[in-house]
């Protein structure tokens, strides 16, 4: 049915569009109000990290250093978001 349809590529592009829309929202908010909500910045960071983690299929190629570095980053972004 979906012969030749790249699900991973479509998900990659979809998440990239979401990230760009969030970035556009941050820029317009800054231009209008001259400040940016930390919640929106954390949300943008979480979506970017999810994009990186979902698209990366082979977790062994990342290495333990990268995974160990991403763990506190995800925790801090989640803490800021809540």
């Amino acid at each position: 049915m979906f012969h030749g349809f790249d699900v991973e590529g479509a998900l990659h592009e979809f998440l990239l569009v979401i990230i760009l829309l969030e970035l556009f929202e941050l820029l317009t908010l800054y231009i209008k109000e001259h400040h940016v909500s930390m919640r929106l910045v954390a949300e943008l960071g979480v979506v970017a990290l999810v994009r990186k983690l979902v698209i990366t299929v082979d977790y062994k190629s990342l290495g333990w250093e990268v995974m160990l570095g991403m763990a506190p980053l995800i925790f801090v972004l989640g803490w800021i978001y809540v």
Side-chain angles (χ1 to χ4, degrees), residues 17-72:
V17 168
I18 289 177
I19 290 171
L20 291 174
L21 287 173
E22 290 287 331
L23 190 59
F24 180 72
E25 181 183 359
L26 282 173
L27 288 173
T28 55
L29 183 67
Y30 180 74
I31 289 172
K32 288 179 184 177
E33 300 178 11
H34 299 292
H35 68 49
V36 177
S37 170
M38 264 322 268
R39 184 180 179 130
L40 292 176
V41 174
E43 184 178 326
L44 180 64
V46 167
V47 171
L49 278 173
V50 165
R51 178 179 171 255
K52 174 70 176 169
L53 291 174
V54 167
I55 299 304
T56 305
V57 177
D58 188 20
Y59 291 105
K60 292 181 182 180
S61 69
L62 282 178
W64 66 272
E65 297 92 356
V66 176
M67 295 297 279
L68 191 63
M70 274 197 237

Side-chain angles (χ1 to χ4, degrees), residues 70-81:
M70 274 197 237
L73 186 59
I74 293 171
F75 176 75
V76 169
L77 285 173
W79 182 65
I80 290 172
Y81 187 73

